Amino acid sequence: MANSPKRKSRIGILTSGGDCAGLNSAMKWVVKTALDERLEWERGIQYEVIGIRDGFKGLYSTEPASPDTEGYLVPLNQEMVRTWDRYGGTMLGTSRFSPYDPKNDTSKQVIENIERLGIDALVVIGGDGSLAIASRLSDQGVNVIGIPKTIDRDLPETDYTLGFDTALNVITEEVDRLRTTAGSHKRIFVVETMGRTAGWLALEGGESCGAFIILIPEYDFSIERLNELVSEGRRAGARYEIILAAEGAKPEGCAEFVKEPGTDSFGHKALGGVAEFVAAKIREGTRLETRSVVLSHLQRGGAPSAFDRRMGRHFGIAAVDLIVRQDFGKMVALTNGKTGAVSLKDIYGKVRRVDVSQHYDADRYNGPRSILHTES
Ligand code: F6P
């Protein structure tokens, strides 16, 4: 037809790894931008977008598992995704399935499936584990674009990962709730946050909610110093204290606390238990009533904050811009307030952790008290 765009191209999209807020917004904007009719004419390409359920597991098992279950492939259109940005979690489902799992390498099958399904470009919305998979697929010739997401905000080469801001809001709101009961009983609450081996969530969550002490994985704490700080606080008239402990925080000379032995198929340990340990040590050392609370997956739940919705939008649109330019092997990123792109190779196997000299007061176990002095 004389008036129709010249080429047709199929985009596959999936979410992989832990869910968080902002994923649905990113997917909505990939779909809306790819299927935008006005842009279609300008580009001379007609895109279609196929959602892949349950992360890379869906790309491995492209056929329905049984007649009762739905297939793993969902053609997406603008009407379907219209309201998605308002909701948490992921409308496509997710999994921690790695095609490169050393115990069961399915990468050959996954790449064959990508070809068989005619997927010209694959958008992977993921954290470090999922984007490492994306990078390896890219090395093997798959046209991949990554969108960064994780409440841990521990990916290098980007100032933002979807889900972080909403998780900070959850921490702040939950601590506000704890304050009333802590104050009523003159108790100490040790609140455990997620974040794996990076302290961003505890540090910025602690700064947002005004925690008395913040323990992060990047600085091993001394139990003696901790109890000294708590006792000082009480002497200064504090009625109660809120202590935030990142799940990866550990006392000097100890390994991090794990909930179960071994690692998942992304090579991650299941961390947890530090808050309970710290609470017991404070009770023992100060005789003050101390309780622990683990915020756990609450931090990944709920409706996305305004910032996550907007960043999901920008990242989704930028991902399609890269596809249009055929600039594959990239992850969209936020750098100094601007959305751009970086090479997936540059983030492979790296984790961005808190720089203690810049962002942490190692004496007070809290955020720095001199901002202008520490900023370069
Ligand atoms: O990476 C995101 C994260 O929420 C971490 O902060 C946490 O350690 C982990 O995932 C929990 O994973 P799961 O959902 O498998 O329990």
Side-chain angles (χ1 to χ4, degrees):
M1 268 197 326
N3 281 340
S4 64
K6 289 187 188 71
R7 283 199 297 123
K8 289 201 174 203
S9 184
R10 178 175 282 187
I11 299 172
I13 185 164
L14 59 84
T15 50
S16 166
D19 75 307
C20 61
L23 301 176
N24 293 320
S25 174
M27 289 194 281
K28 165 177 169 168
W29 284 98
V30 166
V31 173
K32 279 184 73 72
T33 314
L35 304 189
D36 185 299
E37 277 169 22
R38 265 198 267 169
L39 293 175
E40 203 168 83
W41 291 109
E42 275 171 32
R43 295 166 185 152
I45 302 178
Q46 192 176 23
Y47 288 109
E48 61 176 323
V49 185
I50 307 290
I52 298 143
R53 287 191 203 274
D54 298 350
F56 287 103
K57 189 174 166 201
L59 266 185
Y60 174 57
S61 341
T62 50
E63 308 303 334
S66 84
D68 301 331
T69 55
E70 279 183 83
Y72 284 100
L73 305 176
V74 203
L76 299 173
N77 62 48
Q78 299 202 55
E79 183 48 30
M80 281 167 82
V81 301
R82 192 171 53 82
T83 62
W84 279 19
D85 47 353
R86 301 172 207 168
Y87 301 105
T90 160
M91 295 295 187
L92 288 179
T94 185
S95 64
R96 290 199 200 278
F97 177 97
S98 170
Y100 297 99
D101 187 338
K103 288 179 226 130
N104 179 27
D105 191 316
T106 55
S107 55
K108 193 165 168 281
Q109 185 64 54
V110 165
I111 293 171
E112 271 172 29
N113 286 343
I114 292 171
E115 280 168 17
R116 183 173 56 79
L117 296 168
I119 294 176
D120 301 301
L122 179 67
V123 178
V124 175
I125 310 179
D128 61 338
S130 307
L131 294 178
I133 296 167
S135 181
R136 291 179 73 173
L137 287 174
S138 165
D139 288 346
Q140 291 188 262
V142 179
N143 292 333
V144 188
I145 298 296
I147 296 183
K149 68 89 210 168
T150 165
I151 64 165
D152 306 340
R153 213 194 54 194
D154 60 353
L155 280 166
E157 307 291 332
T158 182
D159 296 341
Y160 195 66
T161 59
L162 298 177
F164 182 73
D165 185 65
T166 305
L168 284 189
N169 284 311
V170 171
I171 293 170
T172 308
E173 283 163 21
E174 295 301 333
V175 169
D176 277 352
R177 277 187 196 102
L178 276 176
R179 283 183 184 284
T180 54
T181 174
S184 306
H185 288 263
K186 294 181 87 175
R187 279 176 178 159
I188 297 165
F189 270 90
V190 186
V191 182
E192 185 170 310
T193 66
M194 282 184 163
R196 292 198 200 282
T197 58
W200 299 111
L201 204 53
L203 181 59
E204 296 193 18
E207 286 180 335
S208 308
C209 75
F212 178 60
I213 288 174
I214 305 168
L215 304 175
I216 58 172
E218 291 83 351
Y219 193 85
D220 293 353
F221 60 90
S222 134
I223 292 157
E224 211 186 347
R225 177 69 186 141
L226 186 67
N227 283 334
E228 213 171 81
L229 287 167
V230 168
S231 305
E232 260 175 34
R234 283 292 159 120
R235 279 198 300 275
R239 206 179 145 77
Y240 71 95
E241 285 84 12
I242 300 289
I243 298 175
L244 243 64
E247 63 183 0
K250 52 193 189 306
E252 287 168 340
C254 296
E256 70 266 286
F257 293 82
V258 289
K259 285 188 284 196
E260 53 204 55
T263 54
D264 64 17
S265 75
F266 285 8
H268 291 138
K269 290 180 188 171
L271 299 177
V274 64
E276 203 182 331
F277 169 86
V278 168
K281 290 293 170 194
I282 294 174
R283 274 196 299 272
E284 205 177 291
T286 65
R287 304 274 152 222
L288 292 166
E289 255 195 277
T290 310
R291 299 280 192 270
S292 63
V293 169
V294 182
L295 291 182
S296 190
H297 294 80
L298 287 173
Q299 293 158 100
R300 299 220 304 247
S305 66
F307 190 68
D308 272 318
R309 293 181 203 201
R310 187 163 162 270
M311 284 316 303
R313 175 182 177 129
H314 286 200
F315 281 173
I317 294 172
V320 178
D321 287 341
L322 290 170
I323 293 172
V324 172
R325 284 196 230 153
Q326 307 256 310
D327 193 0
F328 296 111
K330 297 279 169 70
M331 175 187 83
V332 300
L334 184 75
T335 315
N336 298 328
K338 277 187 76 176
T339 299
V342 297
S343 169
L344 279 169
K345 280 193 201 323
D346 291 343
I347 60 153
Y348 185 82
K350 296 183 195 152
V351 174
R352 191 168 72 97
R353 303 177 76 211
V354 173
D355 175 353
V356 170
S357 67
Q358 282 258 319
H359 303 292
Y360 192 63
D361 181 333
D363 183 47
R364 294 173 193 244
Y365 293 169
N366 212 311
R369 284 295 170 93
S370 171
I371 302 277
L372 298 181
H373 173 68
T374 51
E375 288 292 313
S376 54

